[in-house]
């Protein structure tokens, strides 16, 4: 399993960012996928999950209405569109298999989102 996250950066409060997770080494369309985030102060935690066919999604309360998880099974890629960003969204973002819990012990390098003016 290989997971390569990208798309992070420095964003002003209220801004937007689109994260991508390019995957390989498994049949992407057969797995639910999810995004997680971690800060130095907090353990890695679920942000959003999406079922195999993309029809069912799940979001933590703190991002509902601001974040959209999606996937392109033809491209083996997972996305996270984040809008109306807040300083508390600052974190390292990771993807993994599973809908609500990570299913693989190995993680990618993550992509850092910094929300600051």
């Amino acid at each position: 399993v290989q997971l390569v996250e990208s798309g992070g950066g420095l964003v002003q409060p209220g801004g937007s960012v689109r994260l991508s997770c390019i995957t390989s080494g498994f049949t992407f369309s057969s797995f639910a996928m999810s995004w997680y985030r971690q800060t130095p102060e907090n353990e890695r935690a679920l942000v959003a999950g999406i079922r195999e066919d993309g029809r069912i999604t799940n979001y933590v309360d703190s991002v509902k209405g601001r974040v959209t998880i999606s996937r392109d099974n033809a491209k083996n890629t997972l996305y996270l569109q984040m809008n109306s960003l807040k300083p508390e969204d600052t974190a390292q973002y990771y993807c993994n298999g599973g809908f609500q819990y990570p299913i693989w012990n190995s993680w990618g390098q993550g992509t850092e989102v910094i929300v600051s003016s």
Side-chain angles (χ1 to χ4, degrees):
V1 173
Q2 287 195 325
L3 307 167
V4 180
E5 301 92 347
S6 64
L10 176 62
V11 187
Q12 289 191 339
S16 299
V17 68
R18 188 193 195 202
L19 308 183
S20 298
C21 170
I22 299 175
T23 74
S24 61
F26 64 101
T27 304
F28 182 74
S29 59
S30 296
F31 288 83
M33 295 292 296
S34 45
W35 283 97
Y36 298 81
R37 63 186 179 187
Q38 184 175 21
T39 67
E41 298 79 22
N42 297 303
E43 294 183 351
R44 197 171 291 163
L46 178 74
V47 176
I50 186 168
R51 291 292 190 190
E52 293 83 343
D53 61 4
R55 295 183 179 182
I56 298 175
T57 56
N58 173 52
Y59 300 93
V60 296
D61 288 344
S62 59
V63 304
K64 282 182 180 177
R66 301 188 297 117
V67 167
T68 302
I69 187 172
S70 62
R71 63 191 297 159
D72 186 335
N73 286 348
K75 295 182 178 180
N76 297 333
T77 302
L78 180 71
Y79 302 101
L80 190 71
Q81 177 69 43
M82 304 181 67
N83 301 322
S84 302
L85 283 163
K86 304 176 181 180
E88 50 264 44
D89 294 317
T90 295
Q92 193 80 2
Y93 285 75
Y94 302 87
C95 62
N96 204 295
F99 187 60
Q100 292 181 297
Y101 302 98
I103 63 173
W104 296 307
N105 291 328
S106 64
W107 296 81
Q109 82 289 347
T111 186
E112 186 176 29
V113 175
I114 300 173
V115 184
S116 175
S117 55

